[in-house]
Amino acid sequence: MEVDKGKGEAEETRKVAEADRDTVTLKSSDGKLFEVSKEAAARLSTVLAGMIAGGSIDDNGTDLKQIGSEALENVVDYCNKHANSIPSAALISSSISFNTAPFKEPEEWERKFVDRLSHDALFDLVEAANFLGMERLLDVTCHKISEMMKGKSPDQIREVFNIKNDYTKEELEEIRQELAWAFYDD
Amino acid sequence: MLSASIETATAVPWADLPPELCNLVVDRLDAFSALRFPAVCRSWAAACQVGPRRLRPGAPTLLTPILMDGNGMAAAAAFALHDVSTGRSFHASVSGRGGLKNRRWVGAKDDWLVTTDATCSLELLNPATGDLVRLPSFATIPGATVEDGLRISVAPRSVYVFQHVALCRTPAHRDGYLAVAVFSSLLAVAVAATGDERWTPLRNYVGGPMLYEKVFAVDTCGNVYFWDMDDGGANSNPTVVRAPEIQIDMYVRQRFKLATSIGGEVLLVCTYGDSVFGERARSLGVPNAGYRHTRSILLHELDIGGGDSGVWRRVDGIGGDHALFVGQSYPFYVTVPRGSSDLKANSVYAADLNGYVAMVFDQCQGCAGGIGPFVYSDFRGTSLRPIWFRPTAHLDKQAQYVVR
C-alpha cells in the first residue's frame, strides 16, 4: 500500500507505525514508499531480516532499486496478509514417498493472492521474492508457475508465457541425443 | 481474437527467468512435465539441471500404479516411475483427456503404452505427451467378432483369448508404428502398422513375439515360431524351432521371453525356479510363502537355418556392460555406466515376475533378488501390472500421428 493513500489497510499500517517503529519503509526503483510490519518483514525475508539486524534500514525509505513499485506493493501486501493469517496445521504435499522435496502446499489465501496476478506481475513478484530471500513467497509463486505448465506441451507452454521457440530442428535432435547420454537403444 | 490475444500476451521475458527460479519451478512439476520443460527454449534448457534428482530421458524405469499408503492417496491417472538406474521414484500424472481411465496397458516400448478396454479397442498412448493413436479393431480380422475385453471369436467356432501386444516400433519411428497382437490358443498373431486399417492375422500358435524381417513368437514350452514377412505373412505357416533342451527337474516352472542378442540374433530368455514354502521362503525374502521362487536364468541364442529350421546355442551372458530388460514391454538394452552401483552389468531385469515388481538375474549368481521395496501383492486386484517404460526428451511432438 502506498503510505500517503488513506485506504483502510494504510490506516492500519499507520496505527502499527504509531506504536513506534514497528514498521520499516521500503522504496521501490521508481521512488514509491511502502510500509511493512518489521516483524513480518524480518520473518518472511532473509534479506530484510539481515538489513534490520544490521541497522541498514533507512527511516526515509530503504532503497530497493531492483524492485518496481507494482512488485513491491505485492510483496508488502503479501507480508501484511501473512501477518494477519492464522497458519493452518501445514499441509505437507502428498509426495512423501517420492523424491520431490516435500513442499508445503499454498494455503487458500495464498492461492487467491497469486491467482489474481497478471503473468507480468507474477514474473516481477517471483523475481522480487528471490531478491529479498522470501522462501515462502517463492514457494507460492513457483507453485503457481508450475501449475501454469502442468500437462502442457512445449508449444502450449510457449504460448502461455509468450516465449519464442529458439530451437532449430538440428538443435532439438542434438539435445535429444545429449539428454540420453548414458543410455542407448539398438 | 487477435486483439484479445495481444491483450493477454505477457510482455515480460519469461525466457530469462533466472536459472535458480527455473529449477524451483521444475522441482514442483510431475516427472512428465519436468521432461518437457527444457524443450521450451534454450535458456530454460540451460538452466535445467540434469542429474539423478530428476527423471532422466532414456533411463530404464518401471511404471506402476501409485502404491496405496493407507491414506488412500492414489489418484486416478497418477502413476509412479521407479528409475532402477538410480533407485529413485517419481510421481507422474497422465496428461490429456481420458488417458488411462477404464483402460489397462497390455504392452509398451520406450515411452509408448499399448492400452485396451472392455471392448478390446486398442490404443497407443504416450502418457508423457498425451499423444494417442488408435489401432484397428480386431473385428477387421476376417470372420472375427469381439466378444468382450479378452475374447474374440472367429467363424466358424474358434475363440481366442487376447493376451498382449508387442509394440515393435512406436509412432515416433520414421516408418510408423508396428504392433503384433498375441492371442492364446491356436492361430493367433496379428500384425498392424501405421496406415493399416486392419489387423493381418498370422497362422498358428503363439506366446510373445518380436520382429525384424520376421515375426517371432514363443509358446509356454519354449518352442519358437517365426513367420517370414515377405508376403505380408497373411497366408504363411510359421517355421517351428523346438525348445532347447533344458534339463531341470520336473517340478520346476519355466517362463520364456524373447529378445534379440547384442549381436542381433534371437535370444530365448528362460527364467526358472521351484516352489518354496514356510521358513525357506522367508529366508529367501519371498514375500508370501508358497510363491514359486524364481532362482535362475538360462539364455539361448538361435542360429536360424542352422538345422532344419534353427539350432539353439547356450550363451553365458548377454555381454559386457549391458543390461537387458524384459517383461510385457518390448525388450531393450541399456549400457551400464562404469562404476554404476545401481545397475548391474551383464544382467537381465525381468518385470512383473513372481511376487516382485522386477527381478534381476545374472548367469553367475542366478537371481540377485527383487528390486526395491515394491512387492507385487500391492498390485493384486489392479489390472495394471508393472511394466518397463523409458522416458524420452520431448523436444517436439509427433503431431502427424495424433488422431484426437
Side-chain angles (χ1 to χ4, degrees):
Chain A
M1 294 296 117
E2 280 184 64
V3 174
D4 50 357
K5 287 195 180 153
K7 288 180 187 165
E9 280 177 65
E11 282 292 341
E12 244 181 64
T13 318
R14 194 172 299 140
K15 268 183 226 156
V16 178
E18 280 159 12
D20 184 35
R21 308 299 339 140
D22 273 350
T23 61
V24 288
T25 308
L26 305 173
K27 194 171 171 185
S28 67
S29 59
D30 46 347
K32 288 191 180 162
L33 296 176
F34 298 89
E35 226 169 306
V36 64
S37 142
K38 191 184 272 182
E39 185 277 323
R43 182 160 47 86
L44 296 169
S45 158
T46 55
V47 170
L48 292 177
M51 290 169 93
I52 291 165
S56 52
I57 290 288
D58 186 341
D59 284 353
N60 297 320
T62 302
D63 265 334
L64 297 172
K65 290 209 163 60
Q66 284 81 352
I67 305 176
S69 56
E70 196 193 347
L72 193 55
E73 181 173 346
N74 281 323
V75 165
V76 167
D77 199 9
Y78 177 82
C79 289
N80 290 335
K81 283 203 166 89
H82 200 282
N84 295 333
S85 81
I86 303 151
S88 65
L91 317 138
I92 302 288
S93 99
S94 54
S95 52
I96 305 157
S97 57
F98 300 97
N99 273 294
T100 46
F103 302 113
K104 279 186 184 166
E105 292 283 341
E107 296 190 29
E108 188 57 30
W109 73 267
E110 289 175 313
R111 268 178 212 281
K112 282 185 184 150
F113 181 82
V114 288
D115 280 351
R116 67 179 174 84
L117 300 176
S118 70
H119 287 11
D120 290 12
L122 182 62
F123 182 89
D124 292 338
L125 184 58
V126 70
E127 289 211 310
N130 192 35
F131 175 75
L132 291 170
M134 301 180 70
E135 199 186 330
R136 181 63 192 158
L137 184 53
L138 268 179
D139 259 353
V140 175
T141 45
C142 287
H143 182 272
K144 171 67 183 173
I145 295 168
S146 76
E147 292 276 295
M148 288 158 70
M149 52 181 80
K150 262 177 200 167
K152 292 198 169 71
S153 71
D155 269 347
Q156 290 168 320
I157 295 172
R158 283 185 210 110
E159 203 173 307
V160 169
F161 294 99
N162 194 26
I163 291 173
K164 199 166 161 280
N165 184 359
D166 54 2
Y167 284 118
T168 64
K169 228 178 168 182
E170 291 73 27
E171 277 174 322
L172 287 171
E173 192 49 43
E174 201 175 300
I175 290 170
R176 194 198 299 274
Q177 301 290 332
E178 198 177 300
L179 288 173
W181 58 280
F183 308 99
Y184 79 89
D185 199 358
D186 304 60
Chain B
M1 286 320 288
L2 189 63
S3 64
S5 72
I6 287 167
E7 269 170 31
T8 56
T10 172
V12 294
W14 282 97
D16 298 337
L17 197 66
E20 67 270 26
L21 297 182
C22 284
N23 281 294
L24 285 179
V25 170
V26 177
D27 284 342
R28 285 161 178 79
L29 292 171
D30 73 279
F32 290 146
S33 300
L35 279 173
R36 291 189 288 266
F37 186 88
V40 173
C41 63
R42 290 189 213 189
S43 54
W44 283 14
C48 211
Q49 295 158 0
V50 178
R53 204 156 60 88
R54 302 265 160 76
L55 182 61
R56 292 171 304 169
T61 63
L62 272 164
L63 182 65
T64 67
I66 289 263
L67 299 171
M68 302 291 275
D69 69 350
N71 297 327
M73 63 174 227
F79 299 91
L81 288 167
H82 312 287
D83 181 348
V84 295
S85 68
T86 59
R88 303 232 170 194
S89 296
F90 303 89
H91 171 265
S93 49
V94 174
S95 58
R97 288 158 293 168
L100 276 158
K101 199 175 175 210
N102 298 325
R103 304 186 71 83
R104 63 191 173 97
W105 53 67
V106 287
K109 179 174 168 59
D110 298 339
D111 55 350
W112 286 83
L113 300 174
V114 187
T115 70
T116 187
D117 65 5
T119 61
C120 263
S121 94
L122 296 174
E123 292 176 352
L124 303 180
L125 171 73
N126 187 318
T129 60
D131 289 351
L132 195 70
V133 178
R134 286 206 185 86
L135 298 185
S137 159
F138 287 141
T140 59
I141 295 171
T145 313
V146 175
E147 299 292 337
D148 55 28
L150 281 176
R151 295 172 304 154
I152 67 166
S153 54
V154 178
R157 53 166 177 271
S158 309
V159 173
Y160 302 106
V161 178
F162 169 59
Q163 292 193 322
H164 70 273
V165 169
L167 185 60
C168 306
R169 294 194 314 244
T170 72
H173 192 279
R174 63 186 172 281
D175 298 326
Y177 76 81
L178 181 67
V180 180
V182 177
F183 301 85
S184 70
S185 64
L186 300 174
L187 187 101
V189 178
V191 180
T194 293
D196 287 357
E197 284 169 8
R198 62 186 185 92
W199 288 93
T200 302
L202 306 180
R203 284 221 190 129
N204 252 306
Y205 191 83
V206 205
M210 44 171 309
L211 188 140
Y212 32 163
E213 72 279 5
K214 297 178 170 68
V215 172
F216 288 89
V218 63
D219 66 17
T220 51
C221 301
N223 301 311
V224 169
Y225 304 72
F226 64 89
W227 291 261
D228 278 303
M229 295 301 286
D230 301 344
D231 61 349
N235 295 304
S236 58
N237 286 315
T239 305
V240 185
V241 184
R242 309 283 305 167
E245 274 191 43
I246 299 174
Q247 303 219 330
I248 328 174
D249 72 69
M250 60 183 291
Y251 300 107
V252 165
R253 169 120 173 247
Q254 303 158 25
R255 292 184 192 217
F256 296 94
K257 296 276 186 194
L258 285 177
T260 30
S261 68
I262 296 286
E265 304 297 329
V266 171
L267 186 71
L268 184 66
V269 178
C270 169
T271 54
Y272 65 91
D274 46 18
S275 304
V276 288
F277 299 96
E279 205 53 47
R280 180 153 173 261
R282 276 190 289 279
S283 70
L284 287 165
V286 177
N288 289 320
Y291 266 116
R292 286 184 186 278
H293 177 55
T294 304
R295 67 170 183 234
S296 201
I297 192 167
L298 285 172
L299 302 172
H300 288 83
E301 245 180 53
L302 181 62
D303 285 333
I304 294 172
D308 290 339
S309 49
V311 172
W312 292 108
R313 188 177 62 251
R314 175 85 182 273
V315 288
D316 288 338
I318 57 160
D321 54 353
H322 292 87
L324 170 63
F325 292 78
V326 296
Q328 211 178 25
S329 56
Y330 197 76
F332 62 90
Y333 285 94
V334 155
T335 307
V336 178
R338 199 176 287 264
S340 166
S341 56
D342 290 299
L343 268 191
K344 273 169 70 78
N346 198 16
S347 294
V348 176
Y349 286 72
D352 189 19
L353 197 65
N354 284 30
Y356 288 99
V357 172
M359 298 181 101
V360 55
F361 302 92
D362 68 37
Q363 292 267 84
C364 307
Q365 297 170 332
C367 178
I371 296 172
F374 314 108
V375 174
Y376 209 119
S377 52
D378 288 296
F379 303 107
R380 295 228 154 164
T382 93
S383 53
L384 298 172
R385 316 282 287 271
I387 196 167
W388 295 114
F389 184 86
R390 298 184 80 194
T392 51
H394 288 284
L395 299 179
D396 53 10
K397 304 241 302 176
Q398 300 292 332
Q400 64 269 37
Y401 300 113
V402 179
V403 295
R404 243 180 216 174

